[in-house]
Amino acid sequence: MKLQTLLFELSRSDALGNVADAAELAAGVLAESVPVERGTGLTRWGVLKGESDYTVLIDAHIDQVGMVVTAVDDEGFLTVAGVGGLDLRALPARPVTVHGKQKLPAVFCSTPPHLSGEEKEYGNIADIKLDTGLGAGAKEIVSPGDMVTFTAEPAVLAGGRVTGRSFDDRAGVACVLELARRLKMAGTLPVTVCFLLSDGEELGLRGVRPAAYTLAPQEAVAIDVTFGDGPGIAPEESGRLGKGPMIGFSPSLDHALSKKLTATAEQNHIPYQIEVMGNTTGTNADQLGVTRGGVKTATISIPLRNMHTEAEVVDMVDLEHTCDLLEAYILAGGGLHA
C-alpha cells in the first residue's frame, strides 16, 4: 500500500477512548508483517526477531485529540469536554462525529457576528454547544461519556503536501507500519525490532510506559510530529516542511543515539533537520526513557502545520525520508554499538 494511501485510511478512522477503528485498522496492516499483540486500551504491538536479542522499540501513538460528551439537554444540544489539547478558536461551526449508539453527525454552534456585536471569544469549551439536529431525540442515541471526533476528509494539496485530521500522530503510525513492511522483506536483521502503536499520548503520555515495561527494550525511538513552519511561527521553534524529519537533541534523550541517527542520515544521503529541546520533549520519549531501569531513547519528528485541528498539513517526502532513515538505522544495528 502506498504510504499516502495508508495515511489517508488511518486519517479517516478514529482511535479515542473506546473508539478503536484506527487501532484495529493499523493492527490489521501490522499483522501483515508481524504477529500482533494487544496492550492496555488501544495499544497494539508486534515484534520482528533479529540475530541479536538487543531490542529497538519504534513507537508512534495511535490515539488522537477529540472530545467527550458531558451533558445532553432537552433540545438536543450537547456539552463536551476536550480530550487532549484543543484550539478553541477553531471549533465554532466545525462538523464533528458523535460516537453514540450509532455514529451521529453534529456541528459546533456559532454565534453570527450580526448578533454578537463583536468577535466572540471562548475560554471554556463547555460554552460552545454541539447541535445534533435531533432535538429531544438526541438522548435516545447520545449519552454522557460518548466520544466526539472531528469530521474531515484528507486531501492532496500542491507540492506533495497533504491535509487531514489526526495526522498527529497517524503520520508516525504510517511510518511505523511501512517500516515493518520493509524490514520484514529485508530478511535477517541485526537486532530485534518492536513496532509499538501506543495509546494515551494525548492524555499525558499514559499508554507507552506500561507497554515499554512489558517489552523491556534496550533502546527506543519515538516517532511523532512537531511544529511545522508557517506564518507567525519562529524558525527556531519549527521545522521546515519538505526538508526531512527532525532528529531530536535534548538533555532527556540519549546523545549517542541522536548522533547515530544523524550519522546514518548523512551516510545514506537522507535529508534531515535538527530539533533542539532544552528540557523534556513532550513526546512518548519522556516516558520511555524512565521505564524500568531506564531506556536509551531518541526522537524523530515530522514537521506538521495546524496541529490539533482537522486541517493538519504534512509533506509526504518527510514521511518517506523518515521511513528511509529508520530502515537504514535498523539495518546498521540501531544503537547496539553507539
Side-chain angles (χ1 to χ4, degrees):
M1 186 185 301
K2 288 181 57 178
L3 193 56
Q4 180 179 299
T5 302
L6 178 57
L7 174 62
F8 278 21
E9 288 194 11
L10 290 166
S11 173
R12 291 186 178 103
S13 299
D14 292 301
L16 183 68
N18 65 325
V19 179
D21 297 349
E24 295 302 332
L25 171 61
V29 176
L30 184 60
E32 297 173 5
S33 302
V34 294
V36 174
E37 297 187 43
R38 291 171 175 258
T40 57
L42 304 177
T43 298
R44 309 286 187 267
W45 68 73
V47 177
L48 195 56
K49 183 66 177 174
E51 291 181 327
S52 169
D53 288 333
Y54 182 93
T55 301
V56 181
L57 185 152
I58 308 294
D59 165 73
H61 70 86
I62 190 66
D63 63 306
Q64 66 200 68
V65 297
M67 297 133 282
V68 60
V69 176
T70 60
V72 185
D73 70 20
D74 292 337
E75 296 180 352
F77 293 105
L78 314 182
T79 304
V80 298
V83 179
L86 298 175
D87 187 344
L88 301 190
R89 299 170 303 171
L91 295 184
R94 293 299 188 269
V96 295
T97 299
V98 181
H99 297 265
K101 293 180 180 178
Q102 64 190 58
K103 289 185 179 181
L104 180 68
V107 293
F108 274 103
C109 297
S110 175
T111 303
H114 316 72
L115 301 180
S116 63
E118 58 184 16
E119 184 175 348
K120 187 174 179 59
E121 295 185 2
Y122 294 96
N124 186 345
I125 192 174
D127 296 331
I128 320 173
K129 305 303 180 181
L130 279 176
D131 187 359
T132 65
L134 288 178
K139 291 186 174 181
E140 300 176 7
I141 301 175
V142 183
S143 303
D146 289 341
M147 295 297 160
V148 181
T149 56
F150 291 117
T151 302
E153 275 290 304
V156 176
L157 302 177
R161 291 167 185 178
V162 294
T163 182
R165 65 192 180 102
S166 307
F167 285 1
D168 174 11
D169 185 28
R170 303 293 159 69
V173 170
C175 290
V176 170
L177 298 177
E178 170 63 11
L179 178 66
R181 184 192 69 81
R182 293 187 187 188
L183 294 180
K184 177 67 173 179
M185 296 178 61
T188 304
L189 304 177
V191 294
T192 294
V193 184
C194 177
F195 308 96
L196 175 61
L197 310 175
S198 57
D199 188 18
E201 192 273 350
E202 300 292 1
L203 298 177
L205 319 177
R206 290 175 52 84
V208 72
R209 192 167 184 175
Y213 186 93
T214 299
L215 295 164
Q218 280 68 54
E219 72 166 279
V221 182
I223 314 301
D224 210 327
V225 298
T226 190
F227 301 113
D229 59 341
I233 300 177
E236 65 271 18
E237 296 179 348
S238 61
R240 297 180 63 190
L241 268 67
K243 299 301 181 180
M246 303 193 77
I247 298 171
F249 282 81
S250 165
S252 62
L253 298 174
D254 187 277
H255 189 76
L257 292 189
S258 298
K259 294 296 287 185
K260 179 69 179 291
L261 283 165
T262 59
T264 300
E266 291 169 1
Q267 291 163 6
N268 292 273
H269 308 291
I270 300 169
Y272 73 95
Q273 304 175 73
I274 296 296
E275 182 175 32
V276 179
M277 295 154 281
N279 201 321
T280 52
T281 70
T283 73
N284 277 339
D286 299 340
Q287 290 295 325
L288 288 165
V290 295
T291 299
R292 286 184 175 264
V295 178
K296 297 186 297 182
T297 307
T299 61
I300 298 178
S301 300
I302 300 165
L304 172 143
R305 291 175 180 161
N306 310 326
M307 189 177 293
H308 286 189
T309 73
E310 73 275 35
E312 295 173 335
V313 176
V314 296
D315 194 314
M316 288 306 304
V317 74
D318 292 330
L319 276 70
E320 294 286 354
H321 287 317
T322 297
C323 296
D324 295 340
L325 175 56
L326 287 166
E327 180 182 16
Y329 179 74
I330 293 298
L331 294 178
L336 180 58
H337 303 297

